[in-house]
Amino acid sequence: MQTFFVQIKCRLGKTYEVATALADAEIASEIYSTAGNYDILAKFHLDDANDIGHFVANKVQVIPGIQDTQTVITFKAF
């Protein structure tokens, strides 16, 4: 199992719409609103056979209202 986070920058006024779309898609295990350079932090889990880049490009970045993303790949939880 691969765990990774995606920081999401939304178009102005679209944060709640993007968060709702993420929740409705049931692809993220956790979704948080954040302050700073990004508006949302979402946590994802994928089977090892799946490609993270493909998943982010085809499942996350296509959500209307997203302006930019940054993916953080994790190695080990302590």
Side-chain angles (χ1 to χ4, degrees):
M1 182 72 65
Q2 305 174 81
T3 300
F4 61 98
F5 295 84
V6 178
Q7 297 179 94
I8 300 169
K9 185 180 294 184
C10 302
R11 289 190 165 76
L12 293 176
K14 299 297 182 181
T15 300
Y16 284 87
E17 291 175 28
V18 171
T20 299
L22 271 172
D24 289 348
E26 297 182 354
I27 57 174
S29 64
E30 299 174 45
I31 304 166
Y32 299 95
S33 60
T34 59
N37 293 329
Y38 292 88
D39 304 302
I40 296 171
L41 176 66
K43 182 178 182 181
F44 298 91
H45 301 285
L46 282 181
D47 291 329
D48 290 332
N50 292 321
D51 181 83
I52 292 173
H54 186 265
F55 176 85
V56 172
N58 292 299
K59 299 291 185 179
V60 179
Q61 292 176 339
V62 296
I63 293 174
I66 291 179
Q67 180 178 333
D68 190 20
T69 64
Q70 180 172 330
T71 303
V72 179
I73 298 172
T74 62
F75 301 110
K76 180 179 171 94
F78 295 95

